[in-house]
Amino acid sequence: RPALDAIRRQAVSMVADGATILDIGGESTRPGAEPVSVQQELDRVIPCLEAIRPEVDVTLSVDTSTPEVMRAAAAAGADLINDVRALRREGALQTAVSLGLPVCLMHMQGEPDTMQQSPHYEDVVAEVCSWLGDRAREVVAAGLPAERILLDPGFGFGKTVAHNLQLLQGLPALVALGYPLLVGLSR
């Protein structure tokens, strides 16, 4: 398929340019984005993973909160689950534990459709640190080894520009939680 050929070429080009992780997702989480069905997400993600996996030797991350997509992506060669909802969707935590793949847990205040309407924090760094630390402990208690957890402060996910800047300055506090950080800063 021409679209998959273009995706394959793009992945190879990104790796040639120095990318070491490619994150593949089939659901937009930008503010106001419409949700997609499980089947739509599968139809968008799995063919891409299957096309890219044989072409590149880098970490393939699947950006999903959906247990069915996590399972299918793992079978298609995904190396990492990147979940903006931090495994809070029904069945996601149990699925991630059963798959055993590393998981990135992201902080988000609210949900994608409403998260930017009026984000509020007393102390964004302390609150994000506390929430991510608590969530990581819950995930470990459910059976995923701590060494398979990464944390993402969720820049732009229920945060103002001022919150984002405070989080950027406060990254050492997040590092002090003891988990690797995956930080996504959009253009």
Side-chain angles (χ1 to χ4, degrees):
R1 294 177 9 198
L4 288 178
D5 289 340
I7 289 166
R8 207 177 283 115
R9 283 192 305 275
Q10 180 67 22
V12 169
S13 174
M14 292 167 79
V15 171
D17 288 343
T20 57
I21 299 174
L22 299 181
D23 192 44
I24 301 160
E27 172 191 30
S28 175
T29 51
R30 73 183 182 282
E34 292 292 317
V36 299
S37 71
V38 172
Q39 192 57 55
Q40 284 176 302
E41 195 178 350
L42 286 165
D43 291 345
R44 292 173 178 178
V45 170
I46 304 309
C48 290
L49 274 168
E50 291 172 344
I52 294 169
R53 179 75 284 167
E55 302 294 327
V56 297
D57 187 24
V58 296
T59 298
L60 294 185
S61 166
V62 62
D63 186 345
T64 189
S65 300
T66 308
E68 296 88 341
V69 177
M70 292 175 189
R71 283 190 292 272
D79 302 300
L80 170 69
I81 297 167
N82 182 15
D83 186 0
V84 299
R85 293 175 181 88
L87 303 177
R88 291 179 291 135
R89 189 171 270 173
E90 186 175 342
L93 178 57
Q94 297 82 0
T95 298
V97 169
S98 72
L99 293 171
L101 290 176
V103 175
C104 183
L105 306 172
M106 193 192 81
H107 176 274
M108 171 172 49
Q109 188 178 84
E111 289 294 324
D113 57 342
T114 59
M115 65 187 176
Q116 289 305 108
Q117 287 177 3
S118 57
H120 175 77
Y121 301 87
E122 294 300 322
D123 180 336
V124 68
V125 175
E127 290 172 52
V128 169
C129 282
S130 176
W131 191 90
L132 284 171
D134 289 347
R135 188 61 184 149
R137 283 186 289 281
E138 292 166 3
V139 171
V140 169
L144 192 71
E147 60 269 14
R148 294 192 176 266
I149 295 175
L150 299 88
L151 301 179
D152 181 348
F155 286 93
F157 283 78
K159 293 154 186 98
T160 64
V161 171
H163 295 142
N164 291 330
L165 292 172
Q166 290 165 17
L167 276 174
L168 193 56
Q169 290 175 328
L171 284 178
L174 286 154
V175 170
L177 292 172
Y179 297 92
L181 296 184
L182 189 155
V183 177
L185 297 168
S186 296
R187 286 183 266 161

